[in-house]
Amino acid sequence: MVKQLHTRSIHIDAPVKKVFAYVKDPHHFFEAFDEEWRRHMALVEVNSTPDQVGSTFRLMGRMFLLFHMEWVMTREEYVPNKRIVDHADTGGVWTFSFEPDETGTTLTGSFGWSSKVPFIG
């Protein structure tokens, strides 16, 4: 079970295919974060599968500027030009959905937390 904590949508003046191609690349993951967070985090390894499901990317950085942290994201769902779901080994789940609108694309990003402990997520 995934508990959605944050959801934001933005309009982008570009076709869905172009927006999807950009967002699917793990090298662009941290661009959704503000500059303060980006300065302390990095993508260090990408392992892609042909159909993207099961692809992994390893991230590292400092949490609250004190604690070194590394985590691995696994691409759990990949529907071209529609939806991407990446699950971190630490429990975070990022979902990106893409919808055409009148002048481009509405990109919606959600972050949630999953847990096997019933009272946490």
Side-chain angles (χ1 to χ4, degrees):
M1 176 167 82
V2 176
K3 181 177 181 180
Q4 294 300 326
L5 301 176
H6 303 283
T7 299
R8 299 287 185 270
S9 295
I10 187 170
H11 167 78
I12 300 171
D13 287 327
V16 168
K17 187 175 181 177
K18 186 173 184 176
V19 175
F20 187 88
Y22 188 84
V23 172
K24 76 177 185 178
D25 183 344
H27 293 91
H28 299 144
F29 180 78
F30 285 123
E31 291 177 27
F33 294 79
D34 68 24
E35 187 177 337
E36 183 65 28
W37 280 91
R38 286 193 312 248
R39 283 190 296 179
H40 304 286
M41 297 186 177
L43 175 68
V44 293
E45 182 180 358
V46 176
N47 294 302
S48 295
T49 64
D51 67 354
Q52 291 296 309
V53 174
S55 294
T56 60
F57 50 106
R58 188 166 58 97
L59 309 156
M60 62 177 18
R62 295 220 173 269
M63 298 302 290
F64 309 113
L65 304 178
L66 299 172
F67 306 102
H68 174 80
M69 185 172 173
E70 292 187 32
W71 61 104
V72 175
M73 303 282 282
T74 301
R75 185 137 298 159
E76 289 188 340
E77 188 176 340
Y78 182 85
V79 181
N81 302 319
K82 293 286 183 193
R83 183 174 161 93
I84 296 170
V85 178
D86 293 327
H87 190 168
D89 60 351
T90 55
V93 178
W94 285 264
T95 302
F96 300 97
S97 60
F98 307 79
E99 292 294 329
D101 60 31
E102 290 181 16
T103 60
T105 302
T106 298
L107 170 62
T108 300
S110 297
F111 171 76
W113 196 259
S114 70
S115 172
K116 294 183 176 165
V117 180
F119 57 85
I120 293 182

